[in-house]
């Protein structure tokens, strides 16, 4: 199977700082990666779709200036939460699409903003 | 827009018994895919089973099988011989398949499955 990693797995930061989360496809090239946010005991909410070499497509209601997404290579996408506030605390999950239908999920990153 | 509904927030089953999780969806598309994902306490999303809408035959993966009713827009998951390791949140998901369709997965709200020893 294919492996997707996320780093860090858990991050705590102070309010007003920026945090970068990395999503890597370890053994395949991913032309498309997806970023989700998941609140406790809730479903996954898609934030944005990122394609390698082009701008990300954000879902309605997601602030593109606050959640910066960069998909610089076929194996790496990053999500930067800028000027983080306590309400940004959440579990962030990425997924990567292998050629064809298969989509593989990363293990998630827990963000806590103090 | 497509929607996915899971009407059972929580379900429980005795070990070795069978349980069925419900999922309905709404779409005007004729070509699409349906999925069941499992999210254990580790929160790693794991694909359980996939169904292509154009296939009439229900998908099966070992102890997991689906009952796909396209006309009724229903896609239930049956877990046979339940094991303690099956305890998790289960999410039903939809994805367009046609050209020009969105690649994104649309998730239901999930069903928390408890397996009692």
């Amino acid at each position: 199977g294919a492996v997707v990693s996320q780093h860090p797995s858990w991050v705590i930061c102070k309010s007003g700082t920026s945090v970068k989360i990395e999503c890597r496809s370890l053994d395949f090239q991913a032309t498309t990666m997806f970023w989700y946010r998941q609140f406790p005991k809730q479903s996954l909410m898609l934030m944005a779709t990122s394609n390698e070499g082009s701008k990300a497509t954000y879902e309605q209601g997601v602030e593109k200036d606050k959640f910066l997404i960069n998909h610089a290579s076929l194996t790496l996408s990053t999500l930067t939460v800028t000027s983080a506030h306590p309400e940004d605390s959440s579990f962030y999950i990425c997924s990567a699409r292998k050629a064809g239908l298969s989509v593989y999920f990363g293990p998630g990153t827990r963000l806590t903003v103090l | 827009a497509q929607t996915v509904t899971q009407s059972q927030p929580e379900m429980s089953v005795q070990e070795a018994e069978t349980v069925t999780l419900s999922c309905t969806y709404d779409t005007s598309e004729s070509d699409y895919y349906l999925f069941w994902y499992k999210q254990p306490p580790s929160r790693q999303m794991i694909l359980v089973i996939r169904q292509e809408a154009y296939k009439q035959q229900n998908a099966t993966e070992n102890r997991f099988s689906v009952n796909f009713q396209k006309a009724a827009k229903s896609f239930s998951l049956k877990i046979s011989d339940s094991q303690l390791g099956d305890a998790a949140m289960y999410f039903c998901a939809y994805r367009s398949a046609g050209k020009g369709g969105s690649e994104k997965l649309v998730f239901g709200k999930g069903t928390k499955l408890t397996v009692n020893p």
Side-chain angles (χ1 to χ4, degrees), chain B residues 17-108:
Chain B
E17 296 294 308
T18 296
V19 65
T20 298
L21 307 184
S22 300
C23 173
T24 59
Y25 58 95
D26 189 28
T27 183
S28 59
E29 299 175 333
S30 59
D31 197 13
Y32 50 88
Y33 304 101
L34 295 165
F35 306 83
W36 278 99
Y37 281 92
K38 168 184 177 181
Q39 188 180 42
S42 68
R43 302 191 80 169
Q44 171 74 60
M45 293 287 284
I46 301 166
L47 176 64
V48 176
I49 201 165
R50 179 183 84 202
Q51 175 81 42
E52 289 87 348
Y54 66 86
K55 290 186 177 179
Q56 292 187 339
Q57 186 172 8
N58 290 323
T60 299
E61 287 288 341
N62 301 312
R63 298 183 294 106
F64 299 88
S65 61
V66 298
N67 183 359
F68 174 48
Q69 302 289 328
K70 191 172 184 179
K73 296 180 182 175
S74 171
F75 182 61
S76 61
L77 174 70
K78 185 171 83 171
I79 306 174
S80 304
D81 186 25
S82 297
Q83 300 176 359
L84 295 177
D86 295 333
M89 282 291 289
Y90 285 82
F91 293 99
C92 179
Y94 170 104
R95 183 199 153 183
S96 298
K99 287 184 178 179
S102 173
E103 291 187 343
K104 66 183 182 182
L105 289 169
V106 178
F107 286 94

Side-chain angles (χ1 to χ4, degrees), chain A residues 9-78:
Chain A
S9 57
W10 195 355
V11 57
I12 301 174
C13 69
K14 293 182 179 180
S15 185
T17 61
S18 295
V19 174
K20 180 184 285 188
I21 302 170
E22 293 184 348
C23 176
R24 293 183 185 272
S25 54
L26 297 185
D27 52 0
F28 67 97
Q29 293 184 329
T31 54
T32 306
M33 289 185 171
F34 305 87
W35 286 96
Y36 296 85
R37 185 173 180 177
Q38 186 179 32
F39 290 105
K41 299 183 180 180
Q42 293 191 23
S43 188
L44 281 71
M45 182 192 79
L46 181 66
M47 299 174 67
T49 301
S50 97
N51 292 293
E52 187 265 338
S54 63
K55 290 184 178 180
T57 302
Y58 290 82
E59 294 298 301
Q60 191 173 10
V62 177
E63 299 175 62
K64 60 181 66 176
D65 294 331
K66 179 166 189 62
F67 298 100
L68 301 178
I69 292 172
N70 185 288
H71 194 156
S73 76
L74 287 172
T75 58
L76 173 65
S77 176
T78 60

